[in-house]
Amino acid sequence: MRLAILLFVPAILMAGGHQPRQPRHHGGPVSTAREAKAIAEQATGGIALTARRIPLNGASGGWEVDVHMPKDTRGWRCTVDCDTHGVFTKDRIPNPPLKKRR
């Protein structure tokens, strides 16, 4: 009996551990540029600079996001589908310059 208790204590302690929060979408289409930029950054590993709405395969449309790649000569132009919350296409473009901080 004591052995069983000793085996379950570590399992109980590990189950109560803190998990890091993952960005979640709350259903529905991607509605803000911030969401579209986050999706493009996650898909490419770069820094999303601009996002603009575009018509895309259906009612919800999509976002066109330009992504700067810090250690590369070329960046990405990603098309984010509003319905699937994923990158629809990725095209290589000349690396867009970063906005200068003041």
Side-chain angles (χ1 to χ4, degrees):
M1 183 66 169
R2 288 183 185 177
L3 180 62
I5 293 173
L6 290 175
L7 291 175
F8 285 118
V9 170
I12 292 170
L13 292 176
M14 289 188 337
H18 176 69
Q19 295 290 331
R21 292 188 74 170
Q22 296 292 327
R24 292 181 273 169
H25 56 75
H26 299 284
V30 176
S31 58
T32 65
R34 179 179 285 172
E35 287 180 82
K37 286 180 179 182
I39 292 167
E41 285 178 349
Q42 189 174 21
T44 60
I47 302 166
L49 301 176
T50 62
R52 65 182 186 99
R53 292 286 296 199
I54 59 170
L56 180 70
N57 70 3
S60 298
W63 291 87
E64 187 177 80
V65 182
D66 289 342
V67 180
H68 173 82
M69 297 302 289
K71 296 181 180 177
D72 201 350
T73 59
R74 298 176 68 186
W76 293 100
R77 177 165 289 143
C78 299
T79 303
V80 177
D81 189 346
C82 285
D83 294 327
T84 63
H85 292 260
V87 174
F88 187 69
T89 61
K90 281 193 328 187
D91 299 317
R92 285 297 226 169
I93 60 171
N95 212 4
L98 284 174
K99 296 176 184 173
K100 294 183 180 181
R101 293 185 181 178
R102 295 180 188 186

